Amino acid sequence: MAKYQADAEKLLKEIGGKENIAAVSHCATRMRFVLNDQTKANEKAIEDIPSVKGMFTNAGQFQVIIGNDVSTFYNDFVSVSGVEGVSKEQSKAAAKQNLHPVQRAIAVLAEIFTPLIPAIIVGGLILGFRNVLEGIQFESLGGTIVEHSTFWNGVNGFLWLPGEAIFHFLPVGITWSIAKKMGTTQILGIVLGITLVSPQLLNAYSVASTAAADIPFWDFGFAQVQMIGYQAQVIPAMLAGFMLAYLEIFFRKYIPQSISMIFVPLFSLLPTVLAAHVILGPVGWTIGSWISNIVNTGLTSSISWLFSAVFGFLYAPLVITGLHHMTNAIDMQLIADFGSTNLWPMIALSNIAQGSAVLAIIFLHRGNKKEEQISIPAMISCYLGVTEPAMFGINLKYVYPFVAAMVGSGLAGMFANLMDVRANAIGVGGLPGILAIQAETWVPFIIAMIIAIIVPFGLTVIFRRQGILNKLDPVKPEEAVVLQTANGATVSPEAFESASTTTVATIPESLFAAAAGEIKQITEVNDPVFSQKMMGDGYAVEPSNGKVYSPVKGKVTSIFETKHAIGLLSDTGLEVLVHMGLDTVELKGAPFTVHVKEGDQVTPETLIAEMDLTEVEQAGKQTDIVVALTNNEKVANLSFDKVGLVRPGEKIGKAEVKA
């Protein structure tokens, strides 16, 4: 009998059988299904399968987390199901059948903006810091910081440089991202973006204050075209970017390859640049202005209280559907048209509300050590602006905390909007979101944050104790604080004293940095499989170079065929996954060079692989090197004592491994 035959047969049954599978593939940690009818998947039964560590749905794919041994599981699944696997690209294409046109459009929007998010976050932090320097009147100083410090005035002026590069030249990033997403020539996308923000053009921010007769223009004799830039404009850049991509795809089909390098770029770029300034730019600007005016009117009208309450209430469900990606474009358009946005503060408050609901679950389920491994990191990430781990890992599981957070978010958002709280930038969510808020409205925003903390927490407790929306988590009459022995068994408080005397023999295991760079908690990794610890606890490194070392002393047990993940077994029995980059299975091994083979002995000084960081980044992927302890049940205790920069072979923590 194959190793996972029983589990594979169970999974096949619970996802609706062979006839419900449109496509199946796998990556380093998970099975990726495209199902004809996702409602046929019995998620509760799938969770109970021993080899399944978790599941979630993303972009039309039903993903089941298996772990390091996913390739073996996949082979056993193919054997028992008779379903032939497909490539990940084919699987993604098949997944589109589960998306209606609006979802497909939102998915495209998400793919465009996702590579830009790191820059937008950095820009938000920069503008937030400048907000503190030049926007807050300090009574002790009798003015702002920049008015009383030559140094900080210089810093404030210097920081405008990267801030301008990120937001004013956003069209360059958009046109590049579209070219990358469409598989066309990325440098042409960059050039197109530059033509939209060239210094030769009248800056978009100066158009409103410039008399029509003073606007420069190109004179073609029979027609004149205004020389207007599209700094910070989103829709004009998107329209131009897609036109360039589709023209290039079209001309590739008909121009012979021998001359394609000359004529495909020429016939694609020049018409697009002309159309961008004659048609697409003005039309896109008008559409963007309509959208921003509608949103701004709704948030400043006599019924703004209702508009803001509904948006605050529904933002979290938008995140589930992916529709929240639209708000990035709307926020950027609001900032471009009005100099600030009243939408982003409500988004930051929604982050806080979801985290507060998880905080209430931690309180209600205190002592449940297994759940706390998910809930505590999820709460922290929420308060820092990332809600997915909390929503998918805790709040949606029980339902009632999710609804409590929605109510709290709606009330907090309504209050913030009634107080005319506005943000100068986007990208900084959760509690740090206050940095992006205009200084004069900090006090009402702080009050709104308090509402987003107290209301969800209180409602979550009330819903639980009153049995509202909580069939999956009812209060039992005999319920008491959950306590656990060292081996994870739950006991009553009366039995805890005797149970706590049980000891488990452990072996200390030192953990080392797998690369040079900035170490961070695994909960900060932008992938729910890792951040929710579905693969186990661990850490990640944002690498400063591409050299990857073993984090433990042991041996190599597996090397994934696309080279982006390596499995190790430490001398104490820890199963360790070293995962290079996020979602890098799509790169088919191109950026990776593996220096070890299965069975090799390794130490923290062993160079196990190299990753071309530039190539990974150009592909739109994050370069985080994730180290996950995949047999977490053997770990009695795990601690890290190192923060900040680390170097290869440097001890960063230790684990107590059950003997």
Side-chain angles (χ1 to χ4, degrees):
M1 185 176 180
K3 182 176 180 181
Y4 293 109
Q5 181 177 333
D7 286 1
E9 290 174 347
K10 178 72 171 174
L11 179 59
L12 177 63
K13 174 187 175 184
E14 301 303 342
I15 62 174
K18 177 180 178 179
E19 61 278 4
N20 196 35
I21 301 174
V24 60
S25 61
H26 75 98
C27 61
T29 58
R30 66 200 86 165
M31 299 280 290
R32 297 171 179 258
F33 293 96
V34 177
L35 302 180
N36 295 318
D37 183 357
Q38 293 194 28
T39 62
K40 291 183 178 180
N42 186 342
E43 296 188 11
K44 181 170 176 48
I46 293 172
E47 276 187 346
D48 293 336
I49 298 174
S51 52
V52 172
K53 293 180 169 62
M55 76 198 73
F56 62 96
T57 300
N58 182 42
Q61 290 186 347
F62 185 73
Q63 303 188 18
V64 179
I65 296 88
I66 301 298
N68 279 11
D69 218 12
V70 66
S71 58
T72 303
F73 187 99
Y74 172 81
N75 291 334
D76 291 348
F77 184 86
V78 170
S79 176
V80 301
S81 67
V83 177
E84 289 295 329
V86 299
S87 70
K88 190 165 182 287
E89 290 76 14
Q90 291 172 305
S91 181
K92 288 175 70 175
K96 292 181 180 179
Q97 71 179 20
N98 291 329
L99 305 177
H100 54 65
V102 173
Q103 288 177 316
R104 293 184 187 182
I106 297 304
V108 170
L109 196 63
E111 290 183 42
I112 293 171
F113 275 94
T114 297
L116 306 180
I117 287 175
I120 291 174
I121 291 175
V122 170
L125 286 171
I126 289 173
L127 294 185
F129 186 59
R130 294 184 76 248
N131 188 32
V132 174
L133 293 178
E134 67 180 14
I136 301 178
Q137 297 285 332
F138 290 92
E139 188 174 334
S140 59
L141 297 177
T144 65
I145 293 175
V146 297
E147 290 173 343
H148 287 79
S149 171
T150 301
F151 171 76
W152 288 113
N153 184 55
V155 169
N156 187 57
F158 173 77
L159 288 178
W160 176 245
L161 183 64
E164 179 186 43
I166 291 170
F167 290 110
H168 281 210
F169 300 148
L170 182 65
V172 179
I174 291 174
T175 51
W176 159 80
S177 186
I178 290 173
K180 180 181 72 68
K181 182 252 181 299
M182 299 294 289
T184 54
T185 307
Q186 295 178 29
I187 186 60
L188 293 182
I190 293 172
V191 171
L192 173 62
I194 293 173
T195 68
L196 296 175
V197 296
S198 170
Q200 181 186 4
L201 308 172
L202 177 65
N203 192 294
Y205 290 97
S206 302
V207 172
S209 59
T210 303
D214 295 330
I215 295 177
F217 57 86
W218 291 288
D219 192 346
F220 294 96
F222 65 91
Q224 294 177 343
V225 178
Q226 290 183 328
M227 299 170 60
I228 293 177
Y230 294 92
Q231 287 81 1
Q233 292 288 322
V234 174
I235 296 180
M238 291 179 63
L239 293 176
F242 279 113
M243 178 177 176
L244 175 66
Y246 282 115
L247 280 180
E248 181 176 341
I249 292 170
F250 173 80
F251 286 119
R252 276 182 188 172
K253 295 179 180 178
Y254 297 102
I255 294 179
Q257 189 172 359
S258 58
I259 58 173
S260 64
M261 184 174 291
I262 299 173
F263 292 105
V264 169
L266 180 66
F267 293 160
S268 303
L269 183 63
L270 285 184
T272 303
V273 173
L274 180 62
H277 288 280
V278 176
I279 304 172
L280 302 179
V283 170
W285 189 314
T286 301
I287 295 173
S289 296
W290 285 347
I291 294 173
S292 63
N293 279 320
I294 290 171
V295 174
N296 191 66
T297 300
L299 291 172
T300 55
S301 66
S302 59
I303 59 168
S304 62
W305 61 273
L306 177 62
F307 195 101
S308 54
V310 171
F311 179 83
F313 182 78
L314 294 179
Y315 181 75
L318 289 181
V319 173
I320 298 172
T321 64
L323 290 169
H324 69 297
H325 289 291
M326 290 192 305
T327 64
N328 289 325
I330 296 173
D331 268 314
M332 295 305 303
Q333 194 67 47
L334 284 168
I335 292 172
D337 290 344
F338 302 102
S340 61
T341 172
N342 42 8
L343 204 61
W344 184 258
M346 293 186 283
I347 293 173
L349 292 169
S350 179
N351 301 154
I352 296 170
Q354 290 292 329
S356 301
V358 177
L359 179 63
I361 290 295
I362 294 171
F363 168 74
L364 292 168
H365 295 181
R366 56 193 181 278
N368 187 336
K369 302 300 181 184
K370 182 176 181 180
E371 184 174 85
E372 286 175 357
Q373 292 180 359
I374 298 175
S375 60
I376 292 177
M379 175 197 68
I380 294 172
S381 74
C382 254
Y383 283 148
L384 294 178
V386 180
T387 57
E388 283 83 353
M391 289 197 298
F392 292 109
I394 298 295
N395 291 347
L396 283 171
K397 175 182 177 181
Y398 295 116
V399 180
Y400 68 93
F402 185 72
V403 175
M406 290 171 60
V407 174
S409 172
L411 293 174
M414 180 177 66
F415 176 83
N417 191 59
L418 289 175
M419 295 294 103
D420 196 28
V421 175
R422 303 183 73 94
N424 292 323
I426 71 170
V428 187
L431 296 174
I434 194 171
L435 292 174
I437 303 301
Q438 291 181 336
E440 59 269 23
T441 58
W442 270 26
V443 172
F445 186 71
I446 290 173
I447 296 173
M449 287 196 295
I450 294 173
I451 294 172
I453 293 172
I454 293 177
V455 172
F457 186 96
L459 284 180
T460 299
V461 173
I462 292 171
F463 286 172
R464 171 91 184 297
R465 292 180 175 170
Q466 296 300 317
I468 301 173
L469 299 172
N470 63 338
K471 292 182 180 179
L472 296 178
D473 188 27
V475 177
K476 301 179 180 63
E478 69 276 16
E479 183 180 39
V481 175
V482 178
L483 301 173
Q484 291 183 307
T485 62
N487 62 6
T490 58
V491 296
S492 66
E494 294 78 11
F496 179 72
E497 184 175 354
S498 60
S500 62
T501 61
T502 304
T503 59
V504 177
T506 61
I507 306 170
E509 171 78 73
S510 296
L511 300 175
F512 300 85
E518 186 89 12
I519 192 170
K520 64 182 185 181
Q521 298 179 38
I522 199 168
T523 54
E524 298 173 5
V525 175
N526 189 24
D527 186 322
V529 171
F530 294 116
S531 62
Q532 295 181 34
K533 301 185 181 180
M534 295 180 186
M535 289 299 302
D537 210 338
Y539 69 92
V541 176
E542 294 182 15
S544 57
N545 62 56
K547 296 184 182 297
V548 183
Y549 294 80
S550 172
V552 294
K553 183 180 179 183
K555 69 176 181 178
V556 179
T557 56
S558 62
I559 300 173
F560 199 69
E561 59 184 350
T562 49
K563 304 178 186 178
H564 72 293
I566 298 175
L568 306 172
L569 180 66
S570 78
D571 290 345
T572 63
L574 275 184
E575 293 178 2
V576 181
L577 175 69
V578 180
H579 196 284
M580 294 172 280
L582 303 181
D583 210 22
T584 46
V585 66
E586 297 180 4
L587 306 184
K588 299 180 180 178
F592 308 104
T593 302
V594 177
H595 296 297
V596 293
K597 61 183 183 297
E598 292 183 10
D600 281 359
Q601 295 293 318
V602 293
T603 70
E605 289 76 38
T606 302
L607 178 66
I608 60 175
E610 291 185 70
M611 173 171 58
D612 188 327
L613 301 183
T614 301
E615 189 172 345
V616 172
E617 290 170 346
Q618 287 178 344
K621 308 299 182 184
Q622 292 179 256
T623 59
D624 291 10
I625 297 171
V626 184
V627 176
L629 311 181
T630 56
N631 58 340
N632 213 42
E633 68 279 357
K634 288 207 60 155
V635 181
N637 186 47
L638 179 65
S639 61
F640 295 97
D641 52 17
K642 183 69 178 178
V643 295
L645 294 176
V646 295
R647 59 182 185 275
E650 180 178 2
K651 183 179 177 182
I652 59 171
K654 65 178 180 178
E656 296 293 332
V657 184
K658 297 175 185 177

